[in-house]
Amino acid sequence: MNTVHTMNTFYAITIISILLSLALLSPFQLQTQNTTSQYIPGYTWNKTTLQTLIVTSENQPWWNTNLINMTLRSINQWNDAITYFAHNYTDYAYLVNLRIEAEIADSIKPNYDIYVVFSQTVNSSGQNALGVASILPRVNGTIEKCTITIGAGSLSNTLTKSDLQDITTHEFGHALGLDHSNSSNDLMYPYYDIYTTDNAISTLNLYALATIFSWINNTATMRLNSQTIMLPSNIEYAYAPINDPTPKVITDNPIIKALEAIGLLLIRPTVLTMLLIATLIITITAIVTKREPKNN
Ligand SMILES: [Zn+2]
C-alpha cells in the first residue's frame, strides 16, 4: 500500500510539474511570437511579375553549377510560399499575382528587374558577407531594379547546397522589398547560422510582403512608409512548407561543419604560428619544471 501511495505521489508530482512547465512555457512562447517583427524600408515594385536574370560565371575557378540550381530553388520556394499564404489567408489573396520568373545567361542583358550575379567573396559595407542585395529605388518609392550578389565561397566555412539556398532565399526577400527581422529563427534575420539549415519563409515575411504589395488590391497609392511590421492577432507565426527541399549531404551535419570550421581556422598561418609558439612554451615549461630539485 505504502509503495503504491508513493508511486501515486510521484506520478502526481510529475504530472503537476509537466502542467506547470507547459503553463509557464505557453505565455513565454506567445510573447516571443508577438515581439517578432520585420522591418520594411518602404519600397515596392510597380509590377507583379518580376523577371530575373541569373548571370553565370562559368570561366571562374570557384564556379559550380549548384549556384544556378540553388537560385532556381530559392525562386520556387518564394513562389510556393506566396501561393501558400494567399490561399491560407484570403484577406491577402491578391498576393497570388506576385511571381518571380527566371532566365539564365552568361552575361548581363538589359531590361530585367532582378539580376543574380556570383562572386567568390562578397563585401557589404566593408564586411565580408555571404550575399548582398542592392536595390535601386526611384524617387516615387518604387524599385527600378535589384542586383543580388551571392558569395560562392565563404572564408570560414564550406557552404553546402542548403546554405546557398538559404542565403539566396534571404537575398530574394530583400529584392522583394523586405528588410531584416529581429528573430534568429526567421529567414530575414541579418546573420546566417550555418549550423541550422532550411530557413523556411515565415508568415511574418509573407504578411510584410502583402503590406508591400497592398497596392495590388488598393490601387490608390503605391507610396509606402518605412515601418516595423508585426503579425496581426489572426495570423500565427508559422513557416510556409518547402515543397522541394535541398537534398542533405554529410557536410550539412552541424558536428561535421564545426570540425570543418576548426580545421579551416587551424590552417590559417597566424593561428598555426600561435599554436606552434604555444606548444613550444608548454614543452619548455614542462622540461624546466621537471629539472627543478625536489625539496623532500
Ligand atoms: Zn540581409
Side-chain angles (χ1 to χ4, degrees):
M1 280 301 279
N2 226 348
T3 331
V4 174
H5 178 76
T6 320
M7 284 304 274
N8 281 343
T9 317
F10 172 76
Y11 285 131
I13 290 170
T14 313
I15 289 164
I16 288 167
S17 313
I18 291 170
L19 287 174
L20 254 175
S21 48
L22 280 176
L24 287 171
L25 210 68
S26 0
F28 173 73
Q29 278 179 335
L30 279 175
Q31 204 179 12
T32 336
Q33 229 175 57
N34 289 343
T35 49
T36 304
S37 61
Q38 160 84 65
Y39 184 70
I40 58 167
Y43 304 128
T44 186
W45 289 91
N46 61 1
K47 54 181 91 176
T48 53
T49 302
L50 303 175
Q51 301 288 350
T52 302
L53 189 70
I54 304 168
V55 187
T56 61
S57 295
E58 276 170 42
N59 49 359
Q60 294 295 331
W62 44 262
W63 175 255
N64 84 66
T65 47
N66 287 333
L67 294 165
I68 303 176
N69 299 337
M70 293 308 113
T71 308
L72 293 172
R73 275 176 189 271
S74 290
I75 292 172
N76 287 338
Q77 198 185 329
W78 269 109
N79 286 335
D80 290 348
I82 289 166
T83 308
Y84 158 86
F85 189 77
H87 285 171
N88 284 279
Y89 301 92
T90 45
D91 287 351
Y92 314 98
Y94 61 86
L95 203 63
V96 84
N97 295 302
L98 181 62
R99 289 286 102 183
I100 308 172
E101 289 182 356
E103 281 174 41
I104 302 160
D106 56 8
S107 62
I108 291 180
K109 291 193 278 182
N111 303 325
Y112 285 83
D113 303 308
I114 303 169
Y115 291 87
V116 181
V117 299
F118 303 93
S119 169
Q120 186 169 21
T121 54
V122 174
N123 197 292
S124 171
S125 327
Q127 301 256 343
N128 277 314
L130 300 166
V132 70
S134 314
I135 297 246
L136 184 67
R138 298 187 187 93
V139 275
N140 67 0
T142 59
I143 303 171
E144 190 177 327
K145 71 169 189 171
C146 174
T147 304
I148 294 173
T149 311
I150 299 294
S154 153
L155 291 176
S156 53
N157 255 98
T158 311
L159 298 175
T160 65
K161 289 181 193 177
S162 283
D163 293 325
L164 285 170
Q165 183 172 348
D166 289 343
I167 295 159
T168 312
T169 310
H170 174 99
E171 299 309 334
F172 265 100
H174 287 314
L176 291 167
L178 300 174
D179 204 319
H180 289 137
S181 69
N182 66 349
S183 163
S184 59
N185 296 321
D186 195 86
L187 170 74
M188 295 315 290
Y189 192 63
Y191 304 100
Y192 180 60
D193 181 1
I194 56 154
Y195 302 107
T196 61
T197 50
D198 276 349
N199 271 2
I201 298 164
S202 71
T203 46
L204 176 64
N205 308 144
L206 294 158
Y207 174 69
L209 207 58
T211 309
I212 294 169
F213 285 89
S214 55
W215 61 261
I216 301 174
N217 208 25
N218 173 14
T219 47
T221 178
M222 278 190 177
R223 181 62 84 175
L224 264 173
N225 290 322
S226 62
Q227 56 193 288
T228 302
I229 303 269
M230 283 167 119
L231 280 175
S233 55
N234 62 333
I235 304 179
E236 215 180 304
Y237 186 93
Y239 298 107
I242 302 175
N243 298 340
D244 184 21
T246 321
K248 287 280 182 294
V249 291
I250 182 83
T251 40
D252 279 312
N253 182 302
I255 298 162
I256 305 283
K257 266 195 176 165
L259 289 173
E260 197 180 36
I262 294 166
L264 282 171
L265 190 74
L266 288 180
I267 57 164
R268 284 192 190 174
T270 43
V271 179
L272 207 61
T273 316
M274 275 160 62
L275 268 178
L276 279 173
I277 293 169
T279 317
L280 210 66
I281 291 169
I282 291 166
T283 317
I284 292 168
T285 318
I287 293 168
V288 170
T289 326
K290 261 194 176 172
R291 278 185 182 171
E292 267 177 23
K294 282 180 182 173
N295 291 332
N296 45 353

